[in-house]
Amino acid sequence: MQAARCPTDELSLSNCAVVSEKDLQSGQHVTVRTTPAHKFVFTVKCHHSVLPGTIAFSLPQRKWAGLSIGQEIEVANYNFDKSKQCIGAMTVEIDFLQKKSTDSSPYDSDKMAAEFIQHFNNQGFTVGQQLVFSFCDKLFGLFIKDIEAMDSSILKGEPESGKKQKIEIGLLVGNSQVIFEKSESSSLTLVGKAKTKEARQTIINPEWNFEKMGIGGLDKEFSDIFRRAFASRVFPPDIVEQMGCKHVKGILLFGPPGCGKTLMARQIGKMLNAREPKIVNGPEILNKYVGESEANIRKLFADAEEEQKRLGANSGLHIIIFDELDAICKQRGTSSGSTGVHDTVVNQLLSKIDGVEQLNNILVIGMTNRPDLIDDALMRPGRFEVKMEIGLPDEKGRVQILNIHTAKMKEFNLLSGDVDVKELAAETKNYSGAELEGLVRAAQSTAMNRHIKATSTVEVDMERAEKLQVTRTDFMASLNNDIKPAFGTNQEDYSCYIMNGIIKWGDPVTRVLEDGELLVQQTKNSDRTPLVSVLLEGPPHSGKTALAAKISEDSQFPFIKICSPDKMIGHSEISKCQAIKKVFDDAYKSQLSCVVVDDIERLLDYVPIGPRFSNLVLQALLVLLKKTPPHGRKLLIIGTTSRKDVLQEMEMLDAFSTTIHVQNISSGEHLVEALELLGSFTDAERTTIAQNVKGKRVWIGIKKLLMLIEMSLQMDQVYRVILTTIITCCIFGTTMSNERVIATDSLDHKPDEELNRL
């Protein structure tokens, strides 16, 4: 037969070869052989305008089969084997036929598939075939990408066997499944279930591994972020559309410095099969020229806007990462300047994330150490709705982080066998990820320093350097000397309070320590009382601060801080409140914390003349003492005071869970016990004092006693005898006359006889 042009546009859209009714009947299938190696299957339709002996093809058909007008071709009948060649599923690539007729309207692929099957029912299709399809008054170019045969079990009325067989040529039937996929460069917007058949490409890179990416200790946090921010993007879009679900557009990561916020945000871009993230430091947005700061925000979203207009729901994910978000998104109306730049930047960011023309193809990740400074409007759902605290790593997390930073040393056998990562993790309570990395670097430096010869020139001992290994000793030296946790326990803070140790002169001291241990265990073990507070009250010099420091030290809590008046000298009331609040805020960042609020009446600026005190500090303390720590955190507060009566008047005693009385040495037996423990006097001197105080009531604080004893150690033996009497007088509260003080002050001017008389 001879190839001809299709007589009408309507017949061109039928996907049939058109013949004369004298040659063939409508609905028959034929093979068209152009060369001995190439044959194509067509379904035919009869039309009166076609001459006998000719077969008419549309332009897409001629292009697919490589036919030219007037070409002689061999045409033969073709019969489909319906047990093997019925189409079960056919994947069709679709695009606008003419690029100038593109639009952004969504096309329902389910309706499209139903119309396709109705229009082309009982026609033959071949992989690689091209055709034209009319839908909603638009012309689309189709390309047959893949054909799967229908399971023969279904044709026999049996349960589906699950076997899928690819075929080259198939017959479209009423229960075939047609799956539309838009072409790679197409701007067509498809909606509905039938738009893709293949397992959708996950946005998560299948090769990602947190430890390989250099992130450790954040498994739970990442799991929560994934659940909120990425689950809807991984799920099949048709189900997401049916649920009416919107993707999360913003994540706010906050927490202490050095815990991995920036690192995590950077690595999320590598983890996702998305475009390279745009990483912006907050201060870089600001510009001295009017309107430029807002323009910088608009530039960040320009690519996402352009792609959403062009591709609609098929647009890829654009990630924008703001580091130090609090620099540009402060609460509106709080800036003292007259320009209002910060306010307009916040407004611009709000409109881009969730404004009138909102974008659905963006994920904005913000990071800050100060979430309290950020404008409230940014924190509502639809904007930065996923708020995740990246806190200090727990022991398991510290093991992961240390493994990451020692992996290369292990690989090249540079880490000694005596280094136990689990031991280091246990020793590094409250260390952030950055501090753990610093610890490894410090240990490496210590190890390398051993192989440097410091002579007239600095040289490396190459023979020994080749055997370099970082040992446990290097890590311990760095742990003790080089790297200290910013949110941890600074031993220097409380060591000065107990430099003389705790003198257990009797049961009163032992009871205080036992009660303190009981409260420590309650804080650790009780889930019902995450906040435990105790007030140690007693007379001056009775050792309250030392006992509080001892209880906190023995607790082994990862975070211990002493809030002391000596650190707030010269502070205004407001700055003092801020300093106290910061101590408590830092404590909330640790799983277990202990805060010692020392000398409360001094913190309150109390003086008996007036009386006067700082109401601002009082109210701040009352709030903080009663404030329950965040979920999963536990806090022990130990307060000390010498003026219980004053706190009672201020109604502050009710803020503490319990009160423990710390008393002075009040009996002669306790005094002798204290002197024996101190070991400063000879047996004869202790006997003299014991005889003087036997069976009598004494009253002296351990701190005052220690001061008097240390004074006596600086004197000669004769003077010590005199001081023994003076100590006894002081213990009993005896007041020395002026004459006796004068005589004592001028002892070094008296002859020996007068000394004996004295």
Side-chain angles (χ1 to χ4, degrees):
M1 298 181 79
Q2 193 175 46
R5 184 181 284 109
C6 191
T8 67
D9 290 341
E10 186 180 348
L11 287 171
S12 295
L13 297 175
S14 68
N15 191 42
C16 290
V18 187
V19 295
S20 170
E21 57 188 11
K22 295 180 181 179
D23 293 329
L24 294 164
Q25 292 181 352
S26 291
Q28 278 186 274
H29 310 291
V30 297
T31 58
V32 174
R33 191 180 294 276
T34 55
T35 66
H38 295 90
K39 68 175 182 178
F40 304 89
V41 175
F42 291 95
T43 302
V44 299
K45 183 178 276 194
C46 297
H47 195 267
H48 63 86
S49 65
V50 179
L51 298 173
T54 62
I55 181 167
F57 298 97
S58 65
L59 179 61
Q61 290 172 327
R62 296 199 305 272
K63 186 178 178 182
W64 168 52
L67 297 168
S68 56
I69 304 297
Q71 181 181 346
E72 294 289 331
I73 50 176
E74 182 184 326
V75 181
N77 280 325
Y78 183 84
N79 295 313
F80 281 96
D81 183 351
K82 293 193 176 180
S83 66
K84 296 180 180 177
Q85 288 186 290
C86 285
I87 295 174
M90 181 168 70
T91 306
V92 182
E93 271 193 7
I94 184 169
D95 195 3
F96 293 107
L97 185 65
Q98 296 176 327
K99 297 297 182 185
K100 64 182 180 182
S101 65
T102 61
D103 64 21
S104 58
S105 303
Y107 291 91
D108 190 330
S109 58
D110 298 329
K111 293 179 181 178
M112 195 180 282
E115 190 165 322
F116 182 92
I117 292 171
Q118 185 180 358
H119 193 67
F120 299 119
N121 189 30
N122 210 36
Q123 286 194 22
F125 287 91
T126 308
V127 174
Q129 183 176 344
Q130 298 175 24
L131 65 150
V132 177
F133 174 51
S134 175
F135 180 73
C136 294
D137 297 328
K138 282 277 185 183
L139 293 180
F140 297 92
L142 306 184
F143 174 80
I144 308 303
K145 186 177 178 182
D146 183 67
I147 299 176
E148 277 181 9
M150 188 175 289
D151 194 332
S152 58
S153 305
I154 297 175
L155 300 173
K156 298 174 186 175
E158 299 172 359
E160 189 174 353
S161 66
K163 295 180 181 177
K164 297 186 184 295
Q165 184 180 357
K166 303 277 187 183
I167 54 175
E168 287 295 314
I169 301 171
L171 181 68
L172 188 72
V173 292
N175 58 346
S176 297
Q177 183 187 6
V178 179
I179 301 108
F180 287 100
E181 286 184 353
K182 72 181 191 68
S183 300
E184 207 170 296
S185 59
S186 173
S187 59
L188 176 66
T189 303
L190 287 180
V191 295
K193 288 184 181 178
K195 61 185 172 186
T196 181
K197 153 182 85 69
E198 298 176 356
R200 292 175 173 81
Q201 181 185 17
T202 175
I203 64 166
I204 303 295
N205 187 335
E207 298 180 358
W208 75 273
N209 180 295
F210 245 4
E211 292 203 5
K212 287 182 182 175
M213 285 185 171
I215 303 176
L218 297 175
D219 295 346
K220 181 184 179 298
E221 286 82 355
F222 177 75
S223 176
D224 290 342
I225 289 173
F226 180 86
R227 174 176 60 82
R228 292 294 313 282
F230 301 129
S232 62
R233 299 181 188 274
V234 174
F235 225 70
D238 50 278
I239 297 176
V240 175
E241 286 165 9
Q242 290 170 9
M243 293 175 70
C245 177
K246 289 185 178 180
H247 300 309
V248 165
K249 299 174 188 175
I251 303 172
L252 181 67
L253 305 178
F254 65 93
C259 287
K261 298 184 297 296
T262 306
L263 178 63
M264 189 174 192
R266 288 175 185 274
Q267 299 298 6
I268 281 174
K270 296 179 183 177
M271 179 196 70
L272 298 176
N273 287 328
R275 284 157 183 74
E276 187 72 21
K278 295 178 180 177
I279 301 172
V280 186
N281 290 320
E284 291 177 2
I285 292 292
L286 302 177
N287 194 295
K288 65 180 180 179
Y289 295 108
V290 175
E292 282 298 311
S293 301
E294 297 87 331
N296 289 338
I297 294 284
R298 291 194 291 273
K299 286 174 189 173
L300 293 173
F301 292 87
D303 292 342
E305 281 182 327
E306 186 272 328
E307 190 169 313
Q308 179 156 302
K309 285 178 185 175
R310 186 164 48 86
L311 302 180
N314 296 306
S315 171
L317 180 62
H318 293 253
I319 301 174
I320 303 169
I321 298 173
F322 285 97
D323 203 359
E324 305 301 339
L325 184 67
D326 53 281
I328 59 169
C329 293
K330 290 185 174 69
Q331 289 276 1
R332 285 172 289 182
T334 58
S335 300
S336 57
S338 59
T339 59
V341 171
H342 284 91
D343 292 1
T344 53
V345 169
V346 174
N347 294 338
Q348 183 70 76
L349 190 58
L350 291 173
S351 65
K352 286 298 177 187
I353 296 176
D354 191 30
V356 176
E357 297 180 0
Q358 59 183 345
L359 299 170
N360 203 34
N361 60 344
I362 56 166
L363 179 63
V364 182
I365 304 175
M367 293 165 291
T368 180
N369 301 325
R370 297 291 305 276
D372 53 302
L373 296 180
I374 295 174
D375 192 86
D376 293 337
L378 277 168
M379 310 295 275
R380 73 153 174 81
R383 290 162 184 169
F384 287 103
E385 66 177 276
V386 178
K387 294 175 274 294
M388 185 61 57
E389 181 176 5
I390 308 299
L392 298 167
D394 58 12
E395 190 165 332
K396 181 183 173 185
R398 294 195 295 273
V399 169
Q400 289 182 359
I401 295 167
L402 287 167
N403 278 329
I404 289 166
H405 294 302
T406 57
K408 212 156 195 177
M409 289 193 288
K410 289 176 184 173
E411 183 184 346
F412 293 100
N413 197 29
L414 293 174
L415 192 67
S416 175
D418 64 353
V419 176
D420 184 358
V421 170
K422 290 184 178 178
E423 180 197 8
L424 289 174
E427 291 289 330
T428 49
K429 293 175 183 174
N430 269 34
Y431 275 66
S432 66
E435 287 161 348
L436 289 170
E437 183 184 2
L439 175 67
V440 174
R441 282 201 306 269
Q444 291 168 341
S445 301
T446 306
M448 287 188 286
N449 191 58
R450 289 199 305 270
H451 299 84
I452 295 176
K453 295 186 290 187
T455 55
S456 56
T457 59
V458 178
E459 298 175 358
V460 177
D461 188 344
M462 293 306 296
E463 292 182 8
R464 293 178 60 195
E466 291 175 359
K467 300 175 183 178
L468 172 69
Q469 278 201 327
V470 183
T471 65
R472 179 181 179 277
T473 308
D474 298 326
F475 276 99
M476 290 304 169
S478 302
L479 197 63
N480 295 327
N481 302 320
D482 297 328
I483 307 296
K484 298 292 181 185
F487 294 93
T489 302
N490 188 353
Q491 196 168 0
E492 294 173 1
D493 274 357
Y494 57 79
S495 60
C496 61
Y497 295 111
I498 48 176
M499 59 184 177
N500 297 310
I502 299 297
I503 313 300
K504 296 182 182 178
W505 46 262
D507 290 340
V509 178
T510 308
R511 279 198 298 271
V512 172
L513 293 174
E514 287 174 351
D515 291 345
E517 174 61 22
L518 190 67
L519 293 168
V520 167
Q521 293 306 318
Q522 180 184 345
T523 309
K524 283 182 180 177
N525 303 323
S526 173
D527 293 326
R528 295 185 177 181
T529 54
L531 175 65
V532 177
S533 56
V534 57
L535 178 66
L536 302 185
E537 59 83 18
H541 311 304
S542 56
K544 300 179 296 297
T545 305
L547 287 167
K550 181 64 176 174
I551 292 168
S552 62
E553 182 187 35
D554 290 346
S555 71
Q556 295 295 303
F557 282 4
F559 180 95
I560 300 172
K561 274 287 190 289
I562 294 183
C563 182
S564 177
D566 61 356
K567 297 175 183 173
M568 301 188 189
I569 296 172
H571 282 216
S572 66
E573 283 188 300
I574 293 175
S575 61
K576 189 181 287 190
C577 290
Q578 289 172 342
I580 296 170
K581 184 177 182 295
K582 185 178 185 307
V583 171
F584 279 83
D585 286 343
D586 290 348
Y588 297 146
K589 293 170 185 173
S590 177
Q591 302 292 327
L592 273 174
S593 306
C594 178
V595 173
V596 177
V597 185
D598 188 34
D599 212 354
I600 294 175
E601 63 273 18
R602 291 283 72 76
L603 280 173
L604 296 175
D605 298 332
Y606 170 78
V607 288
I609 303 171
R612 295 183 59 186
F613 64 93
S614 168
N615 189 52
L616 203 62
V617 178
L618 172 64
Q619 299 304 325
L621 275 175
L622 285 173
V623 170
L624 293 170
L625 288 172
K626 295 179 181 178
K627 182 182 176 184
T628 305
H631 179 69
R633 311 295 164 84
K634 296 181 177 182
L635 175 62
L636 171 64
I637 303 172
I638 305 174
T640 70
T641 182
S642 300
R643 295 300 303 268
K644 179 183 176 182
D645 56 323
V646 171
L647 300 193
Q648 180 73 56
E649 289 179 12
M650 295 177 181
E651 299 182 348
M652 197 174 194
L653 289 186
D654 296 335
F656 288 92
S657 309
T658 185
T659 303
I660 298 175
H661 179 66
V662 180
Q663 66 181 57
N664 276 343
I665 298 173
S666 57
S667 71
E669 291 74 16
H670 287 159
L671 176 62
V672 173
E673 181 69 22
L675 294 175
E676 286 181 2
L677 290 171
L678 290 167
S680 302
F681 285 94
T682 63
D683 292 341
E685 290 167 339
R686 279 200 301 272
T687 303
T688 304
I689 294 175
Q691 288 172 352
N692 288 331
V693 299
K694 185 177 180 181
K696 296 181 181 178
R697 181 173 179 79
V698 299
W699 190 254
I700 187 169
I702 186 68
K703 191 174 177 183
K704 176 75 79 174
L705 178 63
L706 189 61
M707 180 61 67
L708 291 169
I709 290 170
E710 286 302 309
M711 190 188 301
S712 74
L713 293 178
Q714 313 306 317
M715 299 182 176
D716 295 335
Q717 188 64 35
V718 174
Y719 297 95
R720 286 179 57 129
V721 175
I722 298 168
L723 192 61
T724 301
T725 307
I726 294 173
I727 288 172
T728 306
C729 292
C730 291
I731 289 168
F732 288 119
T734 305
T735 305
M736 293 185 291
S737 67
N738 289 340
E739 293 80 11
R740 194 170 298 174
V741 172
I742 294 168
T744 307
D745 287 343
S746 56
L747 281 176
D748 51 343
H749 302 295
K750 302 291 182 182
D752 291 345
E753 299 82 26
E754 192 167 358
L755 281 176
N756 290 333
R757 183 176 60 79
L758 285 172

